[in-house]
Amino acid sequence: MTVQQSLRLSHADAQVIDAPVDFEQALATQARRPAEQKSRGLSLTIRGLRKSFGSNEVLRGVDLHIPAGQFVAIVGQSGCGKSTLLRLIAGLDAPTVGTISFGEETRAEDIRVMFQEPRLLPWASVLSNVEVGLGTDRTSADAKARAESALTEVGLAEKRDQWPSVLSGGQKQRVALARALVSHPRVLALDEPLGALDALTRISMQQLLGRVWHDQTFTSILVTHDVSEAVALADRVLVIEDGRIAHDINVDIARPRQRGSADLAALEGSILRNLLGPGADATGL
Amino acid sequence: MSIVEILPRVRSFRLPRIDGLTQWIVPLVILLVWQAACVTGYVPARVMPAPTDVALAGWKLLVSGELAQNIWVSFWRASVGFLIGGSIGFAFGLANGLSQLSSKLTDTTLQMVRNVPHLALIPLVILWFGIDESAKLFLVALGVFFPIYLNTLHGIRTVDPQLIEMGRIYGMRNSELFRRVIFPGALPSIFVGVRFALGIMWLTLIVAETIAASSGLGYMAMQAREFMQIDVVVLSILIYALLGKVADSASRALERLTLSWHPAFQKH
Ligand SMILES: Nc1ncnc2c1ncn2[C@@H]1O[C@H](COP(=O)(O)OP(=O)(O)OP(=O)(O)O)[C@@H](O)[C@H]1O
Ligand SMILES: [Mg+2]
């Protein structure tokens, strides 16, 4: 069995089992991406990054290195500049000062963004919406086939000819994910992509995100309000405060991770305390 | 048989037909009442001819070929005027919606001209063009221009900026962005403009043909007035109503066809 297959298997299991996972066992089945497995992702280095809007300095010196293939979650209070940072990384805005560089030369198709709103074209079928994600390859002969396989990946193959308006919120977000993935990006930047979904849909979307990240081994940067989402998915959680990275926390918990497990809850609690500042008791709120 | 037993049958009989026929019930009733009022002498024939008289007048004009000739002339003026004014309005709407510079240059001027009622220009237009075709075409085109200009502009300006950003992120260049995002996004608003413009088109044409023409439906009505042919006058009015309805239905059909993605046009 190849490493890829075993990863996929262990993930499929994770969705069925309800009992707490045996971590020894999980580790033994290669649940963490082994170092020797080559990632398609790009590494990312940010140096002395600042961003101001007029006189409002939102980012005040961000230094960060993200190794290829890592899953990084960014949390912080509302308005602290998470979206700003993500937009800079995705190249949607230009930094005021500082540099952002990727490990290798990149094409536009290598970096994809997903937002809280699905941003689907209401006048295009689900399939053509996914085709948009191919970028300049949209016109190539195999565009349809590639879009179809991306749709299959997110489990929406049978909706290919529907209008987006008939889909549920979660389904729309899955189409947006398929559109982001269809060009096989090497960096995926996500700005609260699950923020507008109900709790159950959000959990199944988290599993989907975790699975495609495992399978496609891109570098993933997820901005989220939900600390439990951050610790469930990420290798590393960054807390932004006062325009800087105030905390950089390794999530050293084996995958597949079990929602509600003691380790995750403990880590979530400590990150929440960081977020809320000293003196606040996150669990007592 | 109790009412409970009848109801389901009545329902199953009526429901499938409701769409096509219901809308004609009221016009039909009006027609019947009108005919009854005329036949009983309640309304004198000098004031209002009976529907049958109008139909007879229509038949005579049809046989003589006069009717078809006049309808054709009016239809031609309406469509050519609409095409000219509509395309210019659409072009300005596009230009001002897409380009800041163009908008700065022309929008204020156009908004000022818009406040002049175009029918107030009739005396001037007659002085310029006399009563030949260009006078009518000019007036129709001018009337049609503004609703199309304003709604095209509004449609383009209100396209969701998030969708435009999405298009740019996914590497769409200007022409593709326009084709895939901006134009489809503006289309519902453009159609609103087209429907408004169709109404203005007929109105303008009636007035223009009544005042300054030597052919067409409006001219036919004015001619008939001179000879006290009230049935022909009423006939012309009815034909205008019918043509207006046809134009509106055509634009609705086009709308349904091109906006099938829109939730408002989806069948359940
Ligand atoms: N285009 C802009 N022009 C001016 N100010 C901006 C712009 N974008 C963001 N800001 C400001 O930058 C600050 C950070 O905004 P940002 O959207 O990055 O916050 P955030 O951390 O994503 O918040 P949230 O969690 O609520 O999404 C805010 O004070 C906001 O007003
Ligand atoms: Mg944000």
Side-chain angles (χ1 to χ4, degrees), chain B residues 78-136:
Chain B
S79 24
V80 173
F82 184 91
L83 279 182
I84 295 174
S87 343
I88 301 177
F90 182 66
F92 270 98
L94 285 189
N96 291 0
L98 297 173
S99 146
Q100 290 272 330
L101 178 69
S102 165
S103 170
K104 282 219 175 82
L105 274 177
T106 60
D107 191 52
T108 314
T109 314
L110 289 173
Q111 298 289 351
M112 259 157 39
V113 177
R114 179 171 76 103
N115 288 312
V116 179
H118 67 292
L119 292 178
L121 296 183
I122 288 182
L124 194 61
V125 169
I126 293 179
L127 283 179
W128 286 346
F129 301 105
I131 58 165
D132 73 355
E133 288 312 303
S134 31
K136 267 82 73 185

Side-chain angles (χ1 to χ4, degrees), chain A residues 53 56 58 77-84 192 225:
Chain A
F53 295 104
N56 175 16
V58 179
Q77 288 183 352
S78 184
C80 70
K82 304 183 294 292
S83 300
T84 305
E192 298 182 39
H225 269 136

Side-chain angles (χ1 to χ4, degrees), chain B residues 106-186:
Chain B
T106 60
D107 191 52
T108 314
T109 314
L110 289 173
Q111 298 289 351
M112 259 157 39
V113 177
R114 179 171 76 103
N115 288 312
V116 179
H118 67 292
L119 292 178
L121 296 183
I122 288 182
L124 194 61
V125 169
I126 293 179
L127 283 179
W128 286 346
F129 301 105
I131 58 165
D132 73 355
E133 288 312 303
S134 31
K136 267 82 73 185
L137 294 185
F138 179 83
L139 282 170
V140 171
L142 191 65
V144 157
F145 172 87
F146 285 103
I148 296 209
Y149 166 67
L150 291 174
N151 285 284
T152 304
L153 181 63
H154 176 262
I156 287 181
R157 290 217 172 135
T158 51
V159 172
D160 185 355
Q162 294 192 333
L163 285 184
I164 295 179
E165 188 184 59
M166 183 281 296
R168 294 231 179 267
I169 292 173
Y170 285 104
M172 292 186 191
R173 295 191 183 284
N174 286 340
S175 65
E176 199 183 8
L177 195 69
F178 178 75
R179 197 160 41 79
R180 283 191 185 239
V181 183
I182 297 175
F183 182 68

Side-chain angles (χ1 to χ4, degrees), chain A residues 87 92 112-113 115 117 119-123 128 132-133 135 138 163 165-166 179-180, chain B residues 159 162-163 165-166 169-173 176 180-182 184-185 260-263 266:
Chain A
R87 291 177 63 85
L92 304 184
R112 286 301 187 216
V113 208
F115 299 95
E117 328 78 37
R119 302 196 184 186
L120 302 178
L121 297 174
W123 42 82
S128 350
V132 166
R138 269 189 285 280
W163 299 120
S165 61
V166 306
R179 180 180 62 192
Chain B
V159 172
Q162 294 192 333
L163 285 184
E165 188 184 59
M166 183 281 296
I169 292 173
Y170 285 104
M172 292 186 191
R173 295 191 183 284
E176 199 183 8
R180 283 191 185 239
V181 183
I182 297 175
S260 54
W261 55 269
H262 203 284
Q266 272 159 23

